[in-house]
Amino acid sequence: LAQALGGGAAGARGATAATPAGVDAATAIADAEASWDDLQATLEAVEAAAGVGAGGGHADGDARGPLSARAMLRLFDGDSESDVRVTLYRDHAAWCPYCQKVWLQLEEKRISYRVIKAPLRCYGDKPASFLAKVPSGMLPVMELDGRLVTESDVIMRRIEEAFPDKSPMLPPPGSEQRALADQMLKLERQLFGRWLQWLTSGWAHEQGMEDFEDVMDATNDALTVVSAGPYFLGEEISYVDLAFTPFLERIAASVPYYKGMVVRGRDDGRWPAINAWFEAMESRDTYRRQKSDYYTHVHDLPPQLGGCAAVDAGAKYRDEVDGAGLGWGQLTAGAEAEGHSALVGVTKEALVYPSDVSGVAGGGPVAARLEAARSLLGNHANVAKFALRGAAGSGMGGVGARLCDPRANVRGASEAQAGAADAALRHATAVLLAAAAKGAGTDVADGTVGTHASPAGVAAAVRPGNAAASLPGDAAVASALYLRDRVGVPRDMSFPAARQLRAALNVVAEACCE
């Protein structure tokens, strides 16, 4: 596959996936034997055998269910839709750090709200209806009791004022705790500034690293001022934590990838209080369900910031995040041992599961595979059409956000290519279900997807048995890789699920290339 991609991970970081070099355009693959209905039935059987509730009793995006990036309405504590006072305007892809902290605040305070989504400028045009309300086009925006409020810090303070009985997150004005909080919020801005300057600069690397390390040391020290910890103001999460969250999350992702420095779980033990803070945040259902992953962040930051400057020391981290090493090999690389917040790979990225997986047969990896399969099955027609863009060979259309590619189209795709894209997704879903069943120790999937339980089995399954059942292999590979490279967290699914889906798509693409 590395040869087919034209250089492995470096190719994966390139432009929109099209027919990979090295794949014979005449090569055919077999249609997947299992239909989408067959796969849905298999999913339900494996979920039952593994002890996984389908969505925890709630449909994904349910207003009263667990937090989902797809939810357009959130209701708490007996509120009905007529009780909702807040509308949050945030970005479609859940990339915006300023939207994230307002979103997290509403969830932590359990304030019912509606969501209206608009694209960031780097991946699309704002709707005219939004620009009529907010001519600047800036996100986030809050509408509270019919009045618009802009700028994240102003929005957050207005929320604190408007909902004083909903878990206050700022200490009272004039108190010692408030003075401490204000100092820490100034430190957050210093951390943001030092990180941004170093990340986007191609010069004075050593000085930029030293300046960044100094403010990271100060941030670590700030987390020890209130000895009870693990949050900035002690045992309870506060406004200060909300302010730091988006940028510490992006720092942990971007600094290894671009600058070659691991932030979490360092071998030298540096920044232990920051490590403890991450673990505390990842124990919260609110945060673990909106947290992104390293792959999404390292590719969503450049179009937002105008570029990030990489150094040679980050090469091994870039390779892993972009699919080499453990990154996309988890179906066959001992994933069964991984639990919540396990730090994996050389990047030490935390596997944050969106819900408790302790009761799932086979643990987190099984739950993640089932989540990925459920996401594909729940929207397979639209996902197949999206993946088909890879085979159609459409360009970016002037938008630099590769993960979104909003102006791509499938107008040039043939019916055979569409069939190949759909077949590739069914093969990938079968891979996920077979691996989940194996991990859960059940044979309920053997009848429909048993052939997909190993890479060799997948390779055999994609070989056409007769000409009538064959489909263009180049289109299947291009579609699988296009989707693999554009799975977004948390927009599409959790990081553990995205990791498993990328691996499954990789397995199918490799099988088609053999």
Side-chain angles (χ1 to χ4, degrees), residues 55 169 189 328 348 361 438:
M169 306 194 80
R189 289 290 81 193
W328 290 337
K348 303 294 182 69
K438 182 179 179 181

Side-chain angles (χ1 to χ4, degrees), residues 305-371:
L305 302 177
C308 297
V311 299
D312 291 344
K316 68 177 181 179
Y317 304 108
R318 291 192 286 276
D319 284 346
E320 180 173 285
V321 170
D322 286 336
L326 289 176
W328 290 337
Q330 287 308 297
L331 289 159
T332 56
E336 269 53 314
E338 296 170 350
H340 178 67
S341 281
L343 300 181
V344 296
V346 295
T347 57
K348 303 294 182 69
E349 182 168 10
L351 275 178
V352 178
Y353 292 93
S355 57
D356 183 12
V357 296
S358 60
V360 176
V366 169
R369 291 162 189 159
L370 292 172
E371 180 192 343

Side-chain angles (χ1 to χ4, degrees), residues 15 71 102 104 117 120 144 147 175 186 188 233 273 313 321 340 350 352 361 364 416 420 433 442 494 510-511:
V102 176
L104 183 57
K117 296 178 182 178
L120 294 177
L144 174 62
R147 301 189 67 173
S175 65
K186 291 179 181 178
E188 183 272 331
L233 295 183
V321 170
H340 178 67
V352 178
L433 292 173
T442 178
S494 70
E510 284 182 329

Side-chain angles (χ1 to χ4, degrees), residues 7 14 32 52 136 138 167 217 224 238 246 252 265-266 269 289 295 333 349 401 421 427 435 453 459 486 489:
V52 176
S136 70
M138 298 296 289
S167 302
D217 287 340
T224 68
S238 74
R266 292 168 58 107
R289 289 181 174 276
Y295 180 84
E349 182 168 10
H427 279 300
R486 286 162 180 80
V489 178

Side-chain angles (χ1 to χ4, degrees), residues 60 67-71 90-96 100 103 117 249-250 286-297 300 352 354 371 375 403 486-498 502:
D60 186 33
L67 173 62
S68 165
R70 288 176 287 282
R90 69 169 182 85
D91 70 302
H92 279 291
W95 290 359
C96 172
Q100 182 184 0
W103 185 21
K117 296 178 182 178
E249 179 182 315
R250 285 157 178 78
T286 49
Y287 178 60
R288 67 202 289 174
R289 289 181 174 276
Q290 67 156 219
K291 186 179 185 295
S292 189
D293 72 333
Y294 286 11
Y295 180 84
T296 302
H297 277 321
D300 76 38
V352 178
E371 180 192 343
S375 295
L403 293 188
R486 286 162 180 80
V487 178
V489 178
R491 180 193 64 193
D492 303 319
M493 59 192 69
S494 70
F495 166 48
R502 292 166 185 152

Side-chain angles (χ1 to χ4, degrees), residues 101-379:
K101 59 185 180 178
V102 176
W103 185 21
L104 183 57
Q105 181 188 28
L106 291 169
E107 288 289 325
E108 285 288 346
K109 293 174 76 68
R110 296 179 61 83
I111 295 170
S112 297
Y113 62 97
R114 295 183 185 85
V115 175
I116 296 177
K117 296 178 182 178
L120 294 177
R121 285 197 177 96
C122 64
Y123 67 80
D125 299 323
K126 298 284 196 307
S129 58
F130 178 75
L131 292 174
K133 287 188 173 186
V134 187
S136 70
M138 298 296 289
L139 292 169
V141 175
M142 177 181 68
E143 196 167 345
L144 174 62
D145 298 330
R147 301 189 67 173
L148 289 176
V149 186
T150 60
E151 299 186 13
S152 60
D153 290 336
V154 177
I155 292 169
M156 293 175 70
R157 290 180 186 267
R158 184 70 188 94
I159 288 171
E160 291 298 313
E161 294 168 358
F163 299 93
D165 298 329
K166 293 276 191 177
S167 302
M169 306 194 80
L170 262 179
S175 65
E176 290 185 9
Q177 281 285 89
R178 181 60 170 267
L180 179 60
D182 290 343
Q183 291 176 8
M184 290 180 173
L185 290 171
K186 291 179 181 178
L187 175 63
E188 183 272 331
R189 289 290 81 193
Q190 293 174 7
L191 175 64
F192 168 77
R194 298 277 181 88
W195 163 68
L196 186 65
Q197 183 175 11
W198 186 35
L199 181 67
T200 58
S201 176
W203 55 276
H205 170 71
E206 296 297 330
Q207 183 62 54
M209 178 171 62
E210 182 179 330
D211 292 344
F212 171 76
E213 289 179 315
D214 286 347
V215 75
M216 282 290 285
D217 287 340
T219 301
N220 189 80
D221 291 344
L223 280 161
T224 68
V225 170
V226 181
S227 58
Y231 301 105
F232 279 93
L233 295 183
E235 295 180 340
E236 301 295 331
I237 191 171
S238 74
Y239 190 104
V240 178
D241 299 287
L242 304 182
F244 272 92
T245 293
F247 298 108
L248 280 174
E249 179 182 315
R250 285 157 178 78
I251 284 168
S254 62
V255 170
Y257 188 92
Y258 289 107
K259 301 301 182 181
M261 176 193 292
V262 172
V263 171
R264 291 192 66 177
R266 292 168 58 107
D267 292 338
D268 61 6
R270 193 172 187 179
W271 304 323
I274 293 176
N275 286 331
W277 178 85
F278 270 117
E279 291 172 4
M281 290 298 298
E282 290 162 0
S283 72
R284 308 185 73 85
D285 282 345
T286 49
Y287 178 60
R288 67 202 289 174
R289 289 181 174 276
Q290 67 156 219
K291 186 179 185 295
S292 189
D293 72 333
Y294 286 11
Y295 180 84
T296 302
H297 277 321
V298 300
H299 292 296
D300 76 38
L301 284 168
Q304 294 183 76
L305 302 177
C308 297
V311 299
D312 291 344
K316 68 177 181 179
Y317 304 108
R318 291 192 286 276
D319 284 346
E320 180 173 285
V321 170
D322 286 336
L326 289 176
W328 290 337
Q330 287 308 297
L331 289 159
T332 56
E336 269 53 314
E338 296 170 350
H340 178 67
S341 281
L343 300 181
V344 296
V346 295
T347 57
K348 303 294 182 69
E349 182 168 10
L351 275 178
V352 178
Y353 292 93
S355 57
D356 183 12
V357 296
S358 60
V360 176
V366 169
R369 291 162 189 159
L370 292 172
E371 180 192 343
R374 192 183 312 119
S375 295
L376 282 179
L377 281 158
N379 195 29

